[in-house]
Every structure is written in structure tokens, then in C-alpha cells.
Amino acid sequence: LLQARPITSLFPLPELSFDPLLVWFSFAAVQGLVGPLTPLGQDGIRSVMAGMSTELGAPMTPETNHVFVPAGERLWIKMSDAIRNPIGLRITRTFIKIIEPGTAQIIEALVSDPQLGAGSGKIKLSTLWRMARFGLPLLPRLAHAMLQPEAARRRFEQQIEEKLAAAHIEPGA
């Protein structure tokens, strides 16, 4: 059997633009996922990212999050704003080579594209403050986890069990 008309309703696409150029990166490439994400999985990841953004001082909800966007049962990360900024580009170049070398090559090719519209990259004091307020409290926990990984894992598991008990959910259910 053949379909007589074009397929028009597979999934909504994220916002596309070529002027300025928008660059999207597959979240699955970071996580090593080869299959699609369930709608619940997508919502969960978008909720976590919205929570992290709120903690960094840029409040958003999963519905207003336009950086992690679902399309085709996968999540896509809008990278264009980060790579337009020279500081964001430097951070992206450092980590993307480790995470996904193939994507790093593509980003390198896109950086010189005039349609990307690279910016000046001045970092605001308020941004540094939000990052410090978010990251500094994590440093002792990170050091503890690196020095005593078993104890850190037990503490994490205990915290999960406490959260589940507070929500009246049986562990392992």
C-alpha cells in the first residue's frame, strides 16, 4: 500500500531559522540513547532542566523552556545562543569534543558561518553571581563524592528513599 498524500503530522518541528541560523543538538547524542523517549521521559527531563534554570536565576517551566524542545520523540537542545557567545563557544568547544566528537566538527564548521551572527560575549556580573550561588554549594558534595564514592552513593540512596516515603511510594514499586 502507498500513501497518496505527503505525511504532514509526524511531529511538530522545533523553531527553524536560517537568518539568524539556529543550531539544534540531539540530547540523545549526549546520553547515548538510540531509541525515542517516551512523552513521560521527555517531560521529566524538561522539568529537571527547567528546575535547574530556575535555580540559576532564570525561572522557566517545561512549557516555557525553549532550549530543550521535543520533536520526533526525541529532545533537541538549542545550541545557537551558546555558540554565538565567545565564552559559551569556548565552553561548548571544550565539552562537546569529549561528549560527541562528530558534533564538535559540525560546530567548528558552523562557527564561521555569517548567518550564525556571533556576538561580543561579555559576561554579566549577575550571571557570574547566579552561577556561583548555584555551583559553590555543590563543591563540597562533589569533593565528598570523589573522595568517598560508596558513602556518597549510600547518602544519595537514603535521600531517594526519604523522598519516596514522603510521597508515599514504596521503593522499587
Side-chain angles (χ1 to χ4, degrees):
L1 294 175
L2 294 174
Q3 183 167 336
R5 64 173 181 78
I7 298 172
T8 57
S9 62
L10 283 178
F11 49 82
L13 292 175
E15 176 190 355
L16 299 175
S17 172
F18 294 99
D19 191 23
L21 184 64
L22 293 181
V23 178
W24 295 92
F25 174 66
S26 171
F27 179 75
V30 176
Q31 299 301 317
L33 301 172
V34 293
L37 292 170
T38 65
L40 179 61
Q42 293 172 37
D43 289 348
I45 293 168
R46 293 184 79 209
S47 292
V48 168
M49 295 304 162
M52 286 177 59
S53 176
T54 300
E55 286 295 317
L56 285 169
M60 71 172 61
T61 66
E63 295 76 30
T64 60
N65 181 345
H66 300 294
V67 176
F68 279 79
V69 177
E73 301 304 322
R74 285 157 173 78
L75 283 178
W76 299 88
I77 306 167
K78 185 164 54 168
M79 298 285 297
S80 35
D81 294 339
I83 62 177
R84 277 189 186 104
N85 181 301
I87 297 166
L89 177 60
R90 194 168 40 210
I91 292 168
T92 301
R93 279 178 167 154
T94 300
F95 290 106
I96 204 77
K97 288 176 186 172
I98 298 165
I99 296 169
E100 175 54 34
T103 302
Q105 291 176 344
I106 294 168
I107 288 176
E108 285 303 321
L110 289 173
V111 169
S112 61
D113 190 322
Q115 289 180 313
L116 186 61
S120 64
K122 295 182 178 152
I123 193 161
K124 297 178 185 174
L125 186 58
S126 61
T127 302
L128 285 173
W129 172 247
R130 285 194 314 256
M131 290 170 63
R133 211 175 79 221
F134 178 77
L136 288 176
L138 298 177
L139 290 177
R141 292 175 64 185
L142 177 64
H144 177 265
M146 291 178 76
L147 294 172
Q148 299 176 355
E150 290 300 317
R153 185 177 64 175
R154 283 192 301 275
R155 180 174 174 225
F156 179 70
E157 289 172 351
Q158 179 185 359
Q159 289 173 337
I160 289 174
E161 288 181 21
E162 289 169 2
K163 295 283 184 190
L164 292 174
H168 306 295
I169 299 172
E170 288 293 320

